Amino acid sequence: MILPYLIIIPLLGAFSMPIVSLLGRRAREAWALLISGATLAVAVQVFRDVWNRGTIVYTLGAKSPFGMANFPIRIVWEVDKLGAIMVVIVAFVSFLAVLYSLEYMAHDTGLEKFYTLILILELGMLGIAITGDIFNFYVFLEIMSIASYALVAFRNDTWEAIEAGIKYMFVGSLASSFVLLGIALLYGQYGTLTMAYLAIKMAENPTIVAKVALALFLGGLLFKSGASPVHMWLADAHPAAPSSISAMLSGLVIKVGGIYAIARIIFSVFSPAVNLTTVGWIIIIFACITLIVGNAMAVIQTDMKRLLAYSSVGQIGYILLGLGIGLAAYGTKVGEIALAGAIYHTVNHALMKALLFLVAGAVIHELGTRNLNELSGLAKSMPKTTFAFLIGAAAIVGLPPLNGFASKWLIYESSALFNPVLGAIAIIGTAFCTAAYVRVLFTFFGKPSEKVIEAKEPGPAMLIPMFILVATIIIMGILPWQISEKFMIPAARALWDVFGYVAALMGVG
Amino acid sequence: MIWELLALLGIYAYVSIASLLYAGIDRKLVARMQRRIGPPILQPFYDFLKLASKETIVPNTANFMFKASPILMLATTIALLAYTPIGFKPLFATKGDIIVFIYLLTLADFFLVLGAISSGNPYAKVGASREIALLASREPAMMLGVFTVMWALSKHGVEKPFSLANLYEHNIWEFGPMAWVGGAVLIYVFMTWLASEVEAGFFNVPEAEQEIAEGPLVEYSGRYLAIIKLAESLKEFIAASLVVAILFPWGIEMPGLEGYVVNLLIHTAKVFAVLFVAKTVFRAVTGRLRVTEAVNLLWTRVFSASLVASLIIAMGVVM
């Protein structure tokens, strides 16, 4: 059983980092790289296991979660196809972020804490993706959140990092406490914390308490995903964080801690007991607001990372739209396409937004500014970086030879079939998104300004992660429908299949 | 696969010659309209060869896209040829290929714009922003018209809905008097769209020699200019082909290879006729509009006409 190593390895890496750091800078960097690389290898293996042999259920401390009882009493981890996809993407982007940090963070101090935190962040996200226990989920959510508060405020000699960190921490803790309150209510009502078993109990006896808990979960988790009325922390936190962290925050944290958690809790816990159409429409409404607000705000930004942060909000809108339609059209072909599109877009957006933030980091690292008005003509002095940005921007807008096209297409298609108004809103969002990125491209390809002309390309440790992402985006863009058929649609089906999820747990005993 | 690639090469060669030839005819006709002799009809070929042999100068403010975009632009147009209806079904006709067509047509312009701003010349930048403004204003009218026609055709139970191949199975004139009215409005829409696509007459805004010294092309010289000129003239032929295929798709039934050749020749004649109206006459009799006026015209006159035409056709189809 390889699954526990997904937690053991980053935990070991994080906890031993202060000791390894005593050996010096080189040892610390090598250790961080080794740990995240090993985690990636384990993640790939877990993914293959899940794909070949179906859902993995792992019980902590015993062979079976049941003990002497006929209900699960131990913490279980349950990885289905969607979980496996999240595991791989988390480990992949985290590895690249660590690799990138080697050069990017070289001028900062306190790096043993930085690498500890980055590994803990990865650990928290992996935990969320694999857990099948709702309190365990909360613990991992908090591990992830607290690590990200600390990382946002990591450069604590700058005022904006502290400001953004405080903002993120205050509202983030509130959101987490909603989730905790929801768990407390569910536990009080149903007396179990295992997700799959909770689904059974809830189907037997749907109560108002379950609905209140669902509302609390949705409130808390929509916050974590940066959905629109509560996206304000994101627009501050992502620009203020070091860029490798922004790449992880924007590419992973809002997806795993937000989108994935929402999908998992609604589908695997609540779907037998609540009216999915209502929940779906609630999410769709948030999705439409998020789409428009996020993308429209991206158009008017002059700060490069802030633009990317708002664009992340906008892209979360697409993912939520797919998820909402997947709920509201549960059991139909349209819903399946929408959900597959949402999962696909989650993966794609993780890759391209990570790329774009890494590019932004390279620009900041070389030029010390992220004001777009000062970055005119970057293509002259930093052609490779600009090329990476061009690919990332084209992918996020959804141009056909790149990966963003297929995932957005699935979302457009399903939303147009489900309700043409939603399709129109999605298109309007894309129009804004295009405007935002075309503006940046115009700046980058314009006449070189005096500040830009002396810039150089960053070193290999920063360029290699960027180009790995570029290559991934292009390769995924060449095989869009194959990936969709082979991975995303089965993942969407697995997520819909609550009985399968429950049976996988109960079948262990 | 290999035959399709060979066919694409053949079409590329044919369309390059035909489109440059039309450029020569166009110049000759405009000259005659103004009581001049005009250049020989093969002048565009001489121009092309001369440009290709000239020294190519790259400004020192230019970045890598300056050199890459002419090639990308030409590559996009060649790829576009595989999706263009030219008297017979497009080579790579498939379900929904109309979107690829529109995308590639727009992308070619976008590469030109990217190349222009990459030169670092402020005139090129002005031209590029005009090009984008015009691009964003003219395409919606065309898209609306094309999608309506495609939707109407798909009501006939075609095999691959929203493919340009459908245009040779059915056409909008089969839908009765209601659609004829709509089709007549669509002729106006598509002709104006074509004029703005080839940037003739009113719409010679981005390149406006007298105002902004050739705009996007100001820094291009030698080989790159030759490539861009060729790509632009291919694009002209392609845009006119779309108009012809949507509005006047009639050909003759003839089996075998000579059927393709004959239909291609008929199509070319129709393209020349359409271009004669939308380009030659239009540019001989009208002057340039200001950029705001051109954008305004496209949104108020052309887009609304397209909307009206679409509604009429839709009513004709539904009823």
Side-chain angles (χ1 to χ4, degrees):
Chain A
M1 195 53 127
I2 199 165
L3 184 63
Y5 291 96
L6 214 48
I7 299 298
I8 293 171
I9 292 173
L11 206 56
L12 170 74
F15 282 5
S16 58
M17 187 59 78
I19 300 164
V20 174
S21 289
L22 299 176
L23 298 174
R25 182 170 150 257
R26 290 265 160 228
R28 177 204 305 146
E29 290 176 351
W31 186 237
L33 206 57
L34 181 73
I35 291 294
S36 56
T39 314
L40 178 59
V42 174
V44 170
Q45 187 53 42
V46 166
F47 180 80
R48 290 177 42 167
D49 282 353
V50 170
W51 230 262
N52 295 333
R53 295 208 292 274
T55 306
I56 298 178
V57 179
Y58 176 81
T59 310
L60 272 74
K63 284 267 180 283
S64 144
F66 297 102
M68 306 298 282
N70 59 353
F71 52 86
I73 53 172
R74 291 182 179 275
I75 292 177
V76 290
W77 288 342
E78 188 164 357
V79 191
D80 66 354
K81 290 194 165 94
L82 175 62
I85 289 176
M86 299 312 289
V87 163
V88 168
I89 194 77
V90 165
F92 180 63
V93 175
S94 304
F95 172 70
L96 294 180
V98 169
L99 178 58
Y100 183 88
S101 301
L102 301 186
E103 185 179 336
Y104 179 75
M105 296 299 288
H107 308 298
D108 289 76
T109 54
L111 286 181
E112 74 277 7
K113 300 182 194 74
F114 178 81
Y115 287 113
T116 310
L117 285 167
I118 207 170
L119 289 174
I120 288 182
L121 182 62
E122 184 181 1
L123 164 84
M125 291 190 286
L126 291 171
I128 292 173
I130 64 174
T131 189
D133 183 282
I134 203 158
F135 191 76
N136 197 228
F137 159 75
Y138 172 74
V139 171
F140 280 122
L141 185 73
E142 279 293 81
I143 290 175
M144 180 194 84
S145 301
I146 291 170
S148 44
Y149 307 149
L151 283 167
V152 165
F154 186 74
R155 285 177 172 157
N156 57 11
D157 53 337
T158 58
W159 65 267
E160 59 168 350
I162 298 292
E163 191 205 349
I166 287 178
K167 196 175 197 175
Y168 184 18
M169 187 179 71
F170 272 86
V171 277
S173 319
L174 196 62
S176 300
S177 66
F178 283 180
V179 174
L180 185 59
L181 186 54
I183 293 170
L185 287 174
L186 283 183
Y187 187 55
Q189 179 71 37
Y190 297 108
T192 180
L193 288 168
T194 310
M195 286 188 196
Y197 192 64
L198 202 53
I200 301 178
K201 298 296 277 183
M202 209 180 285
E204 287 168 357
N205 176 25
T207 55
I208 190 77
V209 175
K211 286 187 178 138
V212 174
L214 176 61
L216 289 167
F217 276 126
L218 266 186
L221 295 174
L222 280 176
F223 170 88
K224 296 275 178 192
S225 60
S228 198
V230 281
H231 65 279
M232 69 293 167
W233 63 272
L234 197 155
D236 282 337
H238 290 202
S243 285
S244 44
I245 299 308
S246 315
M248 283 178 81
L249 286 180
S250 198
L252 304 174
V253 169
I254 57 175
K255 313 252 175 39
V256 178
I259 303 291
Y260 171 79
I262 291 173
R264 172 62 68 217
I265 283 181
I266 293 179
F267 279 107
S268 302
V269 180
F270 283 92
S271 72
V274 297
N275 181 352
L276 287 181
T277 313
T278 316
V279 182
W281 273 102
I282 291 171
I283 292 182
I284 288 172
I285 290 166
F286 279 113
C288 292
I289 302 172
T290 309
L291 254 174
I292 299 296
V293 170
N295 285 317
M297 289 293 285
V299 179
I300 57 170
Q301 301 303 320
T302 51
D303 179 322
M304 187 175 173
K305 283 183 82 175
R306 221 176 158 77
L307 186 149
L308 297 177
Y310 273 114
S311 159
S312 284
V313 174
Q315 302 298 319
I316 284 291
Y318 288 103
I319 300 173
L320 283 175
L321 186 62
L323 186 62
I325 295 172
L327 282 165
Y330 185 80
T332 62
K333 187 75 192 158
V334 170
E336 187 180 282
I337 298 173
L339 199 55
I343 297 169
Y344 201 178
H345 203 58
T346 308
V347 173
N348 284 343
H349 183 246
L351 295 171
M352 47 212 188
K353 199 43 74 73
L355 171 63
L356 289 173
F357 269 115
L358 295 188
V359 168
V363 172
I364 295 163
H365 189 253
E366 298 304 317
L367 287 160
T369 176
R370 40 182 223 240
N371 185 344
L372 283 170
N373 297 329
E374 295 174 17
L375 293 175
S376 175
L378 200 70
K380 176 83 178 161
S381 48
M382 294 171 78
K384 289 179 190 143
T385 312
T386 316
F387 175 74
F389 187 86
L390 183 67
I391 296 290
I396 210 159
V397 171
L399 297 191
L402 302 167
N403 66 357
F405 171 70
S407 55
K408 276 197 174 181
W409 181 260
L410 292 174
I411 293 171
Y412 294 149
E413 189 185 348
S414 56
S415 55
L417 289 171
F418 181 69
N419 186 335
V421 176
L422 299 179
I425 291 175
I427 299 280
I428 293 172
T430 304
F432 280 130
C433 175
T434 314
Y437 283 102
V438 167
R439 237 189 80 226
V440 181
L441 284 182
F442 266 41
T443 313
F444 278 9
F445 285 101
K447 188 168 189 267
S449 66
E450 279 163 34
K451 186 166 185 140
V452 165
I453 206 79
E454 280 122 43
K456 291 191 302 292
E457 290 282 0
M462 284 167 82
L463 279 177
I464 289 169
M466 273 151 58
F467 276 85
I468 292 175
L469 285 168
V470 167
T472 319
I473 285 174
I474 292 174
I475 291 168
M476 281 183 73
I478 295 169
L479 307 163
W481 307 117
Q482 288 88 333
I483 292 173
S484 164
E485 285 293 316
K486 200 163 171 354
F487 298 110
M488 304 307 166
I489 289 186
R493 287 200 185 122
L495 188 59
W496 266 5
D497 182 16
V498 191
F499 294 112
Y501 189 79
V502 173
L505 171 80
M506 302 311 277
V508 174
Chain B
M1 192 66 203
I2 191 85
W3 289 113
E4 275 152 356
L5 285 177
L6 284 177
L8 179 59
L9 278 180
I11 291 172
Y12 168 51
Y14 174 78
V15 174
S16 313
I17 292 167
S19 61
L20 285 178
L21 188 68
Y22 187 77
I25 298 173
D26 168 64
R27 288 169 69 176
K28 193 84 181 169
L29 289 172
V30 171
R32 285 297 161 87
M33 287 173 198
Q34 297 164 344
R35 294 169 190 272
R36 291 187 282 115
I37 306 279
I41 283 182
L42 293 183
Q43 188 63 41
F45 294 92
Y46 308 142
D47 289 350
F48 181 81
L49 292 176
K50 179 158 184 183
L51 282 175
S53 61
K54 280 278 193 185
E55 185 196 4
T56 306
I57 296 163
V58 177
N60 61 5
T61 48
N63 58 53
F64 66 98
M65 270 316 267
F66 181 79
K67 291 183 190 169
S69 6
I71 294 152
L72 287 170
M73 189 186 173
L74 185 63
T76 316
T77 4
I78 295 172
L80 186 52
L81 281 172
Y83 294 96
T84 310
I86 41 170
F88 43 85
K89 289 178 184 178
L91 285 179
F92 295 161
T94 173
K95 192 177 93 177
D97 64 6
I98 176 68
I99 293 172
V100 182
F101 183 91
I102 294 174
Y103 166 64
L104 290 175
L105 194 64
T106 319
L107 192 66
D109 280 330
F110 189 73
F111 279 133
L112 177 64
V113 165
L114 215 50
I117 50 172
S118 295
S119 67
N121 185 314
Y123 285 106
K125 201 161 186 174
V126 172
S129 54
R130 287 177 170 201
E131 177 87 46
I132 287 280
L134 216 56
L135 185 74
S137 318
R138 75 178 173 229
E139 303 299 349
M142 180 273 283
M143 285 188 216
L144 188 58
V146 171
F147 284 132
T148 311
V149 171
M150 287 292 172
W151 169 79
L153 297 185
S154 70
K155 293 283 160 187
H156 263 311
V158 290
E159 190 190 342
K160 292 172 178 166
F162 287 86
S163 162
L164 289 164
N166 297 343
L167 295 169
Y168 293 108
E169 292 163 22
H170 301 284
N171 62 58
I172 51 166
W173 310 109
E174 296 170 10
F175 288 92
M178 197 83 158
W180 298 341
V181 179
V185 183
L186 268 193
I187 292 181
Y188 158 71
V189 171
F190 276 110
M191 282 303 190
T192 325
W193 171 76
L194 183 60
S196 65
E197 183 74 41
V198 305
E199 288 163 7
F202 282 172
F203 304 105
N204 182 12
V205 176
E207 288 180 13
E209 303 87 21
Q210 296 87 340
E211 286 168 40
I212 50 168
E214 293 272 343
L217 304 183
V218 63
E219 287 290 356
Y220 278 109
S221 57
R223 228 170 27 247
Y224 295 129
L225 188 59
I227 294 175
I228 291 176
K229 290 281 184 194
L230 177 64
E232 280 190 335
S233 112
L234 284 173
K235 206 161 70 65
E236 232 170 78
F237 192 93
I238 291 167
S241 291
L242 179 73
V243 175
V244 165
I246 284 180
L247 296 174
F248 323 106
W250 308 288
I252 51 171
E253 292 285 329
M254 194 190 277
L257 190 62
E258 61 274 24
Y260 284 106
V261 174
V262 170
N263 274 321
L264 180 58
L265 291 176
I266 296 173
H267 177 81
T268 310
K270 286 188 284 187
V271 163
F272 283 6
V274 164
L275 279 177
F276 174 71
V277 177
K279 188 182 179 196
T280 312
V281 175
F282 195 61
R283 105 182 154 93
V285 300
T286 59
R288 175 184 312 125
L289 294 180
R290 279 197 289 272
V291 61
T292 48
E293 289 168 344
V295 168
N296 206 4
L297 176 92
L298 286 167
W299 280 110
T300 55
R301 306 284 203 285
V302 182
F303 184 74
S304 53
S306 179
L307 201 60
V308 169
S310 304
L311 289 175
I312 295 174
I313 291 175
M315 275 155 68
V317 172
V318 173
M319 277 196 269

